[in-house]
Amino acid sequence: MSPAISVEAVSKRFMLGHAQGTTMLREVVMNALRAPFKRRSPGEREVLWALRDLSFAINVGEVVGIVGRNGAGKSTLLKILSRITRPSSGLVRVRGRVASLLEVGTGFHEELTGRENVYLSGCILGMPKRRIDDQLDAIVAYADVERFIDTPIKHYSSGMRLRLGFAVAAHLESDILVVDEVLAVGDGEFQQKCLRTMGELHNSGRTVLFVSHNLAAVENLCTRALWLEQGQLQEDGPATHVIQSYMATFTSSDERVRDLRDIPDRQGTGDLRFTKVEFLGPDRTPLAAIRSGDSLVIRLHFEVHRPLTHPTFAADLHTFLGTLAAQVSTQNDGYTISLLPSGPGYIDLAIECLPLAPGRYSLSLLATDHGGTWADHLQHCTSFEILPSARYGLMRGLRNPVLLLESQWEVTAPD
């Protein structure tokens, strides 16, 4: 049987600062009015290769996860497979109808109602009207938009667009379902519903491509994973093995001091840059080991390149499979910073009792300005191991929990 998706030596090149693909007449006229005499020589254009010589095949019925850092080329690949953009070189064969959920409201017409957009999506997939009629009630109920189904999409919130978009993609008769990280913007209840639905697709015979930073979801839902690194295929194999290889690259050892200055995979304006992270004890001396229940100080060193008023710092702790274990921020803790002048500095995050189970965890960091704009954002910039301790008893029979609770038991029995 021929594969559902075949990708052969595919590359995608972008010219930074220049529009890609077909340019509308309106855009040509506007560009001419903005800069009527401006000319660019080819040497002035900066080339970005989002994908380089990518080759793989996906069989019918496979559920495949795609993992990688921001900017690895994951979304670009999905847009090529969804026929939203074309590759610069190489050959892509997609056999069957593709339903994509790449961005909130992708494929929706702003002026049409929710009901009309459901029928439009079905027509694009080649479904007859009677088949769409049969699925309409299920789609509306799944998306929980009964009251607004005859309201134009332009009046929907982002959450409503997301729910309807996923419901359409999951219920209409496509052979291939492509889902990007967009699920992360839904509320917790809807995310669980989406993940349950995708889990049911294992036995449906549909081919599924799933991009997510939640590596636990990828491992649970997917039998196979592709790891992209700087636009190239780094590894292709069983999901668990690929995820372990991918997470192992975040840091090669349990470093108590991690230099962050040379990490290229970061986002933000650069007004502030994290430079180093230290794991310290409550007396601010380096820790020899981090144990469950211990007091911990995470010292975040930074360099301010432009003074920031009322900045916010945040940190996320993820399990080794990418599940968010804890999230803290100066804003949630009510800690206000009036001004950060230019120059070096550090901020201490003190955790009185670390209630996490033994295992490996990764740390992600974020700093924003007063308006919420990212100054620096580092995902999984370092990892560390939490060791067992006697604080939570003998720790026998644990089935991979994340959170540990101090507890006491008391039984009352008949005399």
Side-chain angles (χ1 to χ4, degrees):
M1 180 183 294
S2 299
I5 298 173
S6 178
V7 175
E8 301 175 10
V10 165
S11 297
K12 180 62 179 178
R13 179 184 64 182
F14 290 98
M15 308 299 292
L16 298 186
H18 297 267
Q20 304 297 316
T22 304
T23 303
M24 299 175 64
L25 176 60
R26 177 181 61 190
E27 294 172 352
V28 174
V29 173
M30 291 302 296
N31 289 336
L33 291 175
R34 290 192 186 104
F37 304 108
K38 186 175 182 179
R39 294 180 178 271
R40 289 181 180 269
S41 63
E44 294 180 9
R45 300 182 180 181
E46 185 179 353
V47 177
L48 172 66
W49 288 94
L51 299 173
R52 291 297 295 264
D53 197 27
L54 199 62
S55 297
F56 61 87
I58 297 175
N59 295 321
V60 175
E62 277 196 290
V63 181
V64 179
I66 303 178
V67 300
R69 292 175 170 85
N70 291 330
K74 305 184 298 294
S75 296
T76 300
L77 173 61
L78 294 192
K79 289 179 180 179
I80 290 175
L81 297 179
S82 303
R83 302 185 179 96
I84 295 174
T85 187
R86 295 180 178 179
S88 302
S89 62
L91 182 63
V92 176
R93 293 188 181 92
V94 178
R95 296 173 176 85
R97 294 172 294 190
V98 180
S100 301
L101 189 61
L102 305 183
E103 297 173 0
V104 176
T106 296
F108 287 159
H109 191 290
E110 290 287 300
E111 300 298 330
L112 299 182
T113 66
R115 184 189 306 272
E116 291 167 339
N117 271 291
V118 172
Y119 281 94
L120 175 62
S121 299
C123 290
I124 292 174
L125 289 173
M127 293 181 61
K129 180 179 181 298
R130 57 184 172 80
R131 299 299 296 274
I132 306 175
D133 291 338
D134 294 339
Q135 294 288 339
L136 181 62
D137 289 344
I139 291 173
V140 175
Y142 189 95
D144 193 22
V145 292
E146 291 92 341
R147 293 177 53 199
F148 309 98
I149 192 60
D150 292 309
T151 301
I153 284 288
K154 65 182 179 181
H155 298 305
Y156 280 31
S157 68
S158 60
M160 293 165 62
R161 290 171 183 243
L162 170 67
R163 296 199 301 270
L164 185 59
F166 186 84
V168 168
H171 287 81
L172 295 185
E173 295 176 357
S174 62
D175 302 299
I176 300 170
L177 178 61
V178 177
V179 183
D180 203 348
E181 186 64 59
V182 65
L183 292 182
V185 305
D187 58 42
E189 181 179 355
F190 183 70
Q191 285 185 41
Q192 291 300 318
K193 183 190 291 188
C194 292
L195 293 175
R196 285 195 300 269
T197 300
M198 293 185 65
E200 295 167 359
L201 296 176
H202 274 290
N203 302 319
S204 69
R206 295 173 72 180
T207 306
V208 181
L209 271 74
F210 179 44
V211 168
S212 179
H213 287 294
N214 186 338
L215 301 182
V218 173
E219 185 183 39
N220 289 329
L221 294 173
C222 305
T223 56
R224 175 184 168 195
L226 308 177
W227 168 20
L228 298 187
E229 189 75 25
Q230 296 182 348
Q232 296 180 309
L233 184 60
Q234 189 76 15
E235 189 169 341
D236 178 358
T240 300
H241 180 75
V242 171
I243 289 170
Q244 290 175 348
S245 299
Y246 170 54
M247 290 298 294
T249 64
F250 291 126
T251 183
S252 58
S253 62
D254 296 323
E255 299 175 1
R256 295 294 172 262
V257 179
R258 174 78 159 100
D259 193 335
L260 307 177
R261 290 172 294 184
D262 296 328
I263 294 180
D265 182 33
R266 60 204 312 160
Q267 297 175 295
T269 61
D271 293 339
L272 177 147
R273 283 287 187 248
F274 291 108
T275 57
K276 186 172 64 174
V277 59
E278 293 182 276
F279 296 94
L280 309 173
D283 58 355
R284 272 46 176 188
T285 60
L287 284 174
I290 303 173
R291 301 182 305 164
S292 297
D294 281 355
S295 297
L296 173 67
V297 175
I298 304 177
R299 176 166 291 178
L300 308 177
H301 295 260
F302 54 79
E303 182 82 26
V304 179
H305 300 289
R306 188 177 65 86
L308 296 177
T309 58
H310 300 290
T312 296
F313 291 86
D316 294 348
L317 290 175
H318 292 83
T319 68
F320 196 58
L321 290 177
T323 300
L324 182 62
Q327 189 173 57
V328 292
S329 72
T330 54
Q331 184 177 25
N332 288 340
D333 290 333
Y335 183 74
T336 301
I337 305 170
S338 299
L339 175 68
L340 280 181
S342 297
Y346 64 83
I347 184 169
D348 285 347
L349 165 61
I351 301 172
E352 184 175 350
C353 174
L354 191 65
L356 298 179
R360 185 176 291 276
Y361 295 81
S362 68
L363 179 69
S364 299
L365 303 176
L366 174 66
T368 69
D369 64 14
H370 179 57
T373 302
W374 291 356
D376 197 15
H377 184 215
L378 291 172
Q379 285 190 316
H380 307 294
C381 57
T382 188
S383 70
F384 58 96
E385 188 82 15
I386 296 181
L387 303 178
S389 74
R391 186 184 184 101
Y392 299 101
L394 300 178
M395 305 188 75
R396 293 175 179 172
L398 298 180
R399 296 189 297 273
N400 299 319
V402 174
L403 186 67
L404 296 177
L405 301 176
E406 290 189 74
S407 56
Q408 294 178 346
W409 300 79
E410 182 178 351
V411 63
T412 300
D415 292 336

